[in-house]
Amino acid sequence: MKEITYRSTRGGETGISASAAILQGLAGDGGLFVPEHMPALEKSMDELKRLDYRTLAFEIMGLFFTDFTDEELKSCIERAYDEKFDCEEIAPLAEADGRFFLELFHGKTIAFKDMALSILPHLMTTAAKKNGVKDEIVILTATSGDTGKAALAGFSKVPGTRIIVFYPKDGVSAVQKQQMVTQEGENTFVVGINGNFDEAQTGVKKMFSDEALKEKLSAGGFRFSSANSINIGRLVPQIVYYFWAYLTMLRNGVIGDGEKINVCVPTGNFGNILAAYYAKTLGLPVRKLICASNRNKVLYDFFGTGTYNKNREFYLTSSPSMDILVSSNLERLIYVIADGSAEETKALMTALGKSGSYEVTPEMRSKLSDFYGGFADEEETAAEIREVYEKASYVIDPHTAVASGVYRKYVSETKDETKTVIASTASPYKFTESVMKALGEEITGQDVFALSDRLSALSNVPVPSAVTELKDAPVRHKTICEIDEMPKTVLGFLGI
Ligand SMILES: *Cc1c(COP(=O)(O)O)cnc(C)c1O
């Protein structure tokens, strides 16, 4: 098999092995690592159809992570996709109201981030070994709620790693906070900061570029790393489940050999939908990639006009994981439509940094025809939760509802009857209040456990243990600090 190496989208680094790219996260020039050549999938759908999730993951991830041995990759996959997931399929496909919901929320934190964050720690520690790194890896993350918990759950108890998560003390939901402060694992650390998310994020970035701090860490046998969604070790595992969805439809006779499907993805940072695009590039029969935004519709505008412009009002919505104005992973698509020109990509990203906007050339725009951009506002999102429930007795979360609502508009506009997979990115139990409100239920004065019981009665789906276990879990993390005390707090945790 051909060795796949990686380069920065901005040209500063080339010939990087997969394991080095995973260890490093972001390239030194600020670019994102992309494969220098797209690998080729040699197995047929007929061969892949028979595989279980883990074996399929091995086939797909093996195409990209060519410097991992078979044993190394298998071991990472087996440790990631095990009984942490509450069903054997890992990512089951549910048909409701004529569409196919790919449920990516059967992991520890009942959201799709688990699909990648349950394997990233194992890829990273394996990569460290392969590259002769003896230091313990210290993951630093600032979170506005969801990513922090998924990263904690992923790295908890993984030998050779520690994870430190900073969250704004008064800026996350009660459930999100409870999820984090009850996290188990001697290698996990959770800190509330007196400040907002941006300040936490800036504080973390400062530590990453603080040379004196890095030296102290190194002397103590540690090194920083990031579990950020731009890491190629998060992107590649996400390609697997698009194949899985297609093969499930083939197995069930929903589609015939070679039949094309559409994929519709609720999008924020553009990681999940980019994985679908990579799947299509590998040969998955996909017609349209439907990119669904909430009220923060910067991507919808981009696909419609060719101009990306983050200079606009920012809205807080019921789909908070999509409340994003800079979709970092879009840079990897820009690189593709710029025909692999690092110069052009760099120029556009520099413009984004300087003025907050950039415009692609008409030629680049013509290469975006695989994509369809749509958006759903708050009212449409709630209406979609209601409509799918009324038609199919199936309850979806607000992020998934954005995608489902956009798909409804897409069909009425295009009359395209292609069977469509909707990425279902969170369990409705993660956003119980918004969901119950959308279903017309009374929510005032009801705590999350009472609401969950009610939701269970409505949907006929048991309350997941991720919710029930919060009830009596002891609080294990009580540290609070000021923004300027973040480095001191980190050193304290590491005992150096
Ligand atoms: C992170 C997230 C998204 C957005 O995914 P991207 O890869 O950032 O586009 C959508 N829904 C949920 C529930 C998420 O947690």
Side-chain angles (χ1 to χ4, degrees):
M1 192 166 52
K2 203 160 161 247
E3 169 93 18
I4 300 291
T5 53
Y6 293 79
R7 68 180 302 208
S8 165
T9 47
R10 302 187 193 177
E13 291 180 57
T14 54
I16 308 290
S17 70
S19 65
I22 290 169
L23 261 186
Q24 212 179 310
L26 196 66
D29 60 357
L32 275 55
F33 287 117
V34 286
E36 290 188 274
H37 308 279
M38 256 304 161
L41 178 67
E42 272 145 27
K43 295 234 162 94
S44 69
M45 291 292 168
D46 212 42
E47 286 169 276
L48 296 174
K49 195 163 86 172
R50 294 179 247 279
L51 307 181
D52 67 5
Y53 193 90
R54 281 173 286 273
T55 320
L56 178 69
F58 175 74
E59 290 293 333
I60 304 292
M61 289 169 52
L63 298 172
F64 288 88
F65 299 153
T66 49
D67 73 323
F68 285 68
T69 67
D70 286 0
E71 288 66 37
E72 285 168 341
L73 193 53
K74 270 184 193 150
S75 156
C76 290
I77 288 167
E78 270 155 28
R79 283 179 285 167
Y81 304 113
D82 58 9
E83 61 284 353
K84 285 195 287 300
F85 286 78
D86 69 8
C87 63
E88 179 56 32
E89 300 108 295
I90 306 293
L93 195 66
E95 184 178 359
D97 191 17
R99 51 203 71 185
F100 296 85
F101 291 95
L102 177 61
E103 296 185 349
L104 303 173
F105 54 75
H106 288 268
K108 271 273 195 194
T109 75
I110 56 176
F112 105 97
K113 303 277 189 301
D114 291 331
M115 299 301 297
L117 279 166
S118 51
I119 191 161
L120 182 70
H122 305 293
L123 294 172
M124 238 182 213
T125 50
T126 308
K129 263 189 220 127
K130 299 178 75 63
N131 288 271
V133 172
K134 300 235 163 48
D135 295 340
E136 204 170 316
I137 293 172
V138 179
I139 301 291
L140 288 187
T141 307
T143 187
S144 54
D146 276 347
T147 305
K149 177 62 189 181
L152 282 165
F155 281 90
S156 169
K157 301 176 190 175
V158 174
T161 71
R162 298 196 195 188
I163 174 160
I164 306 175
V165 171
F166 294 92
Y167 71 94
K169 183 169 77 69
D170 302 312
V172 300
S173 79
V175 173
Q176 286 173 327
K177 181 172 173 175
Q178 189 68 7
Q179 280 189 319
M180 288 192 278
V181 297
T182 56
Q183 177 64 48
E184 293 181 359
E186 292 305 314
N187 66 333
T188 66
F189 303 89
V190 179
V191 188
I193 60 148
N194 281 315
N196 61 28
F197 170 65
D198 276 338
E199 290 169 307
Q201 176 102 316
T202 307
V204 165
K205 281 192 183 151
K206 255 193 190 158
M207 286 191 274
F208 276 126
S209 54
D210 182 340
E211 293 301 328
L213 184 64
K214 266 191 226 167
E215 270 172 38
K216 270 189 205 161
L217 251 77
S218 177
F222 298 101
R223 67 183 267 161
F224 285 141
S225 196
S226 156
N228 202 296
S229 89
I230 48 86
N231 195 310
I232 193 81
R234 274 185 66 176
L235 185 61
V236 170
Q238 296 178 170
I239 301 171
V240 177
Y241 48 71
Y242 290 107
F243 278 90
W244 179 252
Y246 188 86
L247 296 164
T248 303
M249 290 165 94
L250 262 186
R251 267 196 307 270
N252 297 346
V254 170
I255 51 173
D257 280 340
E259 187 173 333
K260 284 191 175 171
I261 60 165
N262 293 326
V263 171
C264 178
V265 185
T267 299
N269 221 359
F270 210 75
N272 202 2
I273 193 165
L274 185 77
Y277 180 69
Y278 276 18
K280 180 175 161 81
T281 308
L282 286 178
L284 191 72
V286 174
R287 179 161 288 129
K288 280 284 175 196
L289 296 146
I290 303 168
C291 174
S293 302
N294 66 19
R295 195 178 174 200
N296 296 296
K297 56 182 183 55
V298 59
L299 287 165
Y300 164 80
D301 293 338
F302 171 68
F303 286 114
T305 65
T307 297
Y308 193 96
N309 187 353
K310 72 161 183 146
N311 302 314
R312 59 178 70 210
E313 206 173 326
F314 174 76
Y315 302 105
L316 291 172
T317 72
S318 57
S319 46
S321 302
M322 298 158 69
D323 291 341
I324 284 174
L325 293 183
V326 178
S327 302
S328 322
N329 267 300
L330 187 64
E331 180 167 344
R332 288 189 166 111
L333 180 64
I334 297 294
Y335 173 84
V336 174
I337 63 172
D339 254 344
S341 163
E343 251 161 81
E344 228 168 309
T345 309
K346 186 174 172 180
L348 294 178
M349 294 306 130
T350 306
L352 180 66
K354 279 204 181 114
S355 69
S357 82
Y358 61 82
E359 185 179 0
V360 300
T361 64
E363 205 204 331
M364 289 167 79
R365 236 189 116 185
S366 70
K367 291 181 195 143
L368 292 174
S369 61
D370 288 337
F371 289 88
Y372 170 96
F375 77 99
D377 65 22
E378 288 294 275
E379 245 172 68
E380 290 167 327
T381 303
E384 185 65 21
I385 293 176
R386 221 161 31 240
E387 178 145 6
V388 172
Y389 179 67
E390 277 163 11
K391 288 200 171 134
S393 300
Y394 182 72
V395 181
I396 54 177
D397 100 289
H399 302 78
T400 310
V402 167
S404 190
V406 165
Y407 174 62
R408 199 175 295 281
K409 291 200 233 181
Y410 169 81
V411 172
S412 87
E413 188 185 312
T414 62
K415 313 288 178 234
D416 180 4
E417 289 176 0
T418 307
K419 300 207 175 71
T420 297
V421 168
I422 294 177
S424 185
T425 50
S427 158
Y429 286 100
K430 193 145 194 178
F431 300 94
T432 325
E433 264 193 27
S434 305
V435 168
M436 293 303 270
K437 206 167 141 202
L439 293 175
E441 296 282 315
E442 181 56 52
I443 60 163
T444 38
Q446 303 233 40
D447 72 5
V448 67
F449 302 108
L451 283 176
S452 297
D453 287 341
R454 182 83 194 107
L455 176 53
S456 180
L458 283 180
S459 63
N460 243 325
V461 175
V463 183
S465 58
V467 175
T468 52
E469 70 193 13
L470 281 183
K471 214 166 185 170
D472 327 289
V475 172
R476 303 186 65 258
H477 305 274
K478 294 181 182 156
T479 309
I480 303 289
C481 83
E482 302 299 325
I483 303 287
D484 58 8
E485 295 171 338
M486 287 167 69
K488 200 177 82 191
T489 308
V490 167
L491 292 173
F493 285 149
L494 302 178
I496 51 178

